[in-house]
Amino acid sequence: MTSARQPAATDPAPGPGDNAARLQAILETAVEGIITIDERGIIESVNPAAEKIFGYSAAEMTGRNVGMLMPAPDAERHDDYIRNYLRTGRAKIIGIGREVTGRRKDGTHFPMDLSVSEVRLAHGRMFTGFIRDITERKAAEARLAELARSLEEKNKELETIVYVASHDLRSPLVNIQGFSQELSRVCARLRQHLAQPAPSPEARAEVARLLAEDIPESIDFILAGARKIDSLLAGFLRFSRLGRAAIRIENLDMNALVADIVRAMEFQIQRAGARVTVENLPPCRADLTLTSQVFANVLDNAIKYLDPGRPGLIHVSGVVEADQAVFQVADNGIGIAPEHQPRVFEIFHRLNPSVAPGEGLGLTIAQRILERQGGRIWLTSEPGRGSTFFVSLPGLASTPKRVRS
Ligand code: ADP
């Protein structure tokens, strides 16, 4: 380690050349980019850090207007900024500093912290700009904001789960409590009868009824409640595992994916007497297993909630919209009333439990899967006429295009 040497009494006083050398050394070694411009915005000097930040050599910058280091429209307006400042003395950056966008030699833009100080010289003024490239800081801030957003989402999801847990787990629990009390009442009654030395025929009849009807009935309700709780807890587990499952994004041939699902559902389709037609579908970028799960669920619903009063028709189609592939699964089933439409995505929410078996979890899971992959699910529906579920996923255009060699 070296330490700064204190000037000794015998050292000669630093001359003007010495000062200039020191200043030069500071400029050369500064981490911040330092650029000086004159009153017309012409670059006078540039330090090595500024060369590195902007990708121009000092020779390429000096003598040119500082606008070359800014994107439009700042570049065109910069001369006005300076003129305005010189006229009014009102500063926007000078002496204040702020975050602006810089433009590198290769044309790319980047965020930078810029502070400008003004130096009054005998022959005019000079402005010194101190520049720090804050690309990494901004990226870290963006990551943090994204993290905060996803935490907020997770929090909302947890709130929903707690809410649903308290409601949906409560009703089977209430049943279990009620029928357990009923069982203890029956036991007390049986004990009373057994304590009698010679039970009357009525007492015997009641014992027989309690054993044949009341006890089995209470046990049935208790078991059904336990099964319901078990399936709700299994559902929670399936849902929570989704957030941790690894995803592998690849180009998906949606024609093959939907054809496989329809083939696997052939039995259900025939039993429902339905007809499924599939148009040519655009490819997308997503995880194969998870996306298959989404389409299997939406198609399964389309079949389950058909109207038995008319032949079922299900049509699958897809289009490319900007950088997204948007798929539609349209059915002519029972439909969903407008007020219930947003609720179909709520965990365990079922509109017509008597129509078909299910857990009320499929669409919640589909929504979660799509969110994780940069997609979305939504629907339009008319009660009595049918529903269309829309699924959007990143299209192939959302990835950088490969250059053909
Ligand atoms: P599940 O089908 O197991 O009940 P989902 O989460 O897949 O659970 O669907 C939630 C609810 O949305 C279903 O119970 C049903 O009431 C309604 N639903 C879903 N798809 C359709 C459809 N295509 N037509 C009519 N109702 C539907």
Side-chain angles (χ1 to χ4, degrees):
M1 285 261 297
T2 54
S3 58
R5 192 173 71 90
Q6 294 298 313
T10 52
D11 279 354
D18 225 23
N19 262 342
R22 278 169 195 237
L23 275 177
Q24 193 58 33
I26 292 172
L27 287 176
E28 296 284 321
T29 54
V31 179
E32 282 192 321
I34 302 172
I35 295 178
T36 60
I37 60 170
D38 68 12
E39 282 181 338
R40 294 162 306 147
I42 302 300
I43 300 175
E44 288 183 333
S45 71
V46 172
N47 77 339
E51 289 181 299
K52 208 166 130 208
I53 292 174
F54 289 100
Y56 287 106
S57 68
E60 285 173 308
M61 288 189 268
T62 44
R64 290 182 61 190
N65 193 293
V66 72
M68 72 186 283
L69 305 177
M70 303 165 193
D74 293 352
E76 291 77 43
R77 293 191 192 146
H78 192 261
D79 288 349
D80 287 342
Y81 287 157
I82 301 186
R83 265 197 295 277
N84 208 28
Y85 170 69
L86 292 176
R87 208 181 58 242
T88 64
R90 266 202 303 275
K92 283 190 177 155
I93 294 186
I94 298 161
I96 306 166
R98 64 193 238 193
E99 221 178 275
V100 295
T101 304
R103 185 177 180 277
R104 297 190 190 94
K105 184 179 180 179
D106 64 9
T108 53
H109 297 175
F110 66 98
M112 62 186 214
D113 257 347
L114 171 66
S115 50
V116 177
S117 56
E118 183 185 350
V119 183
R120 287 173 193 262
L121 302 166
H123 59 275
R125 295 190 233 198
M126 178 179 103
F127 299 101
T128 313
F130 297 87
I131 295 137
R132 182 168 292 171
D133 183 341
I134 53 169
T135 307
E136 272 172 34
R137 194 183 84 200
K138 295 298 279 183
E141 277 172 12
R143 277 197 299 276
L144 217 64
E146 172 57 25
L147 208 67
R149 196 192 57 77
S150 95
L151 266 177
E152 197 180 316
E153 227 168 60
K154 288 261 151 11
N155 236 350
K156 262 197 247 149
E157 209 171 87
L158 271 178
E159 271 171 25
T160 316
I161 289 181
V162 170
Y163 173 83
V164 169
S166 58
H167 278 72
D168 292 32
L169 290 173
R170 215 175 152 68
S171 75
L173 259 184
V174 167
N175 259 357
I176 291 176
Q177 273 170 342
F179 284 101
S180 302
Q181 278 161 4
E182 173 69 8
L183 271 186
S184 50
R185 195 188 58 78
V186 168
C187 285
R189 202 75 192 121
L190 285 176
R191 269 196 303 274
Q192 256 180 18
H193 288 309
L194 286 174
Q196 300 288 325
S200 65
E202 293 78 29
R204 277 175 204 229
E206 194 188 350
V207 167
R209 190 176 51 74
L210 291 176
L211 285 172
E213 291 170 24
D214 291 25
I215 292 179
E217 188 192 60
S218 297
I219 290 175
D220 276 354
F221 276 113
I222 290 170
L223 287 178
R227 271 197 302 274
K228 177 80 190 162
I229 291 176
D230 189 45
S231 96
L232 289 174
L233 290 179
F236 278 136
L237 210 62
R238 271 176 56 204
F239 182 66
S240 84
R241 272 202 204 111
L242 261 188
R244 295 191 300 268
I247 38 180
R248 205 171 76 95
I249 302 292
E250 57 183 319
N251 289 356
L252 292 187
D253 175 352
M254 294 301 287
N255 289 314
L257 183 142
V258 170
D260 279 351
I261 296 171
V262 173
R263 212 172 298 123
M265 287 183 171
E266 204 46 56
F267 178 73
Q268 280 158 271
I269 297 170
Q270 278 189 17
R271 195 180 48 191
R275 203 160 79 84
V276 179
T277 49
V278 185
E279 273 180 28
N280 187 35
L281 303 174
C284 67
R285 285 192 56 74
D287 179 282
L288 174 66
T289 316
L290 294 177
T291 308
S292 299
Q293 200 178 333
V294 169
F295 280 86
N297 183 73
V298 173
L299 278 162
D300 184 50
N301 282 348
I303 300 165
K304 276 200 306 193
Y305 303 107
L306 281 173
D307 186 336
R310 56 177 172 264
L313 294 174
I314 295 161
H315 186 66
V316 187
S317 58
V319 290
V320 175
E321 276 175 17
D323 57 355
Q324 297 276 301
V326 182
F327 304 95
Q328 298 189 15
V329 178
D331 65 57
N332 65 340
I334 57 177
I336 302 168
E339 64 274 23
H340 294 307
Q341 289 176 13
R343 302 206 63 194
V344 297
F345 298 104
E346 283 178 14
I347 194 164
F348 302 134
H349 196 79
R350 308 199 66 214
L351 306 176
N352 0 58
S354 56
V355 169
E359 295 173 291
L361 196 56
L363 289 176
T364 320
I365 286 183
Q367 191 177 47
R368 162 73 87 90
I369 287 177
L370 290 164
E371 273 169 8
R372 278 196 71 193
Q373 302 183 85
R376 222 157 61 77
I377 182 165
W378 69 100
L379 74 137
T380 57
S381 185
E382 224 182 296
R385 296 189 69 106
S387 313
T388 301
F389 279 80
F390 297 82
V391 169
S392 76
L393 278 163
L396 297 198
S398 66
T399 56
K401 286 206 175 66
R402 291 222 181 94
V403 182
R404 255 188 233 167
S405 53

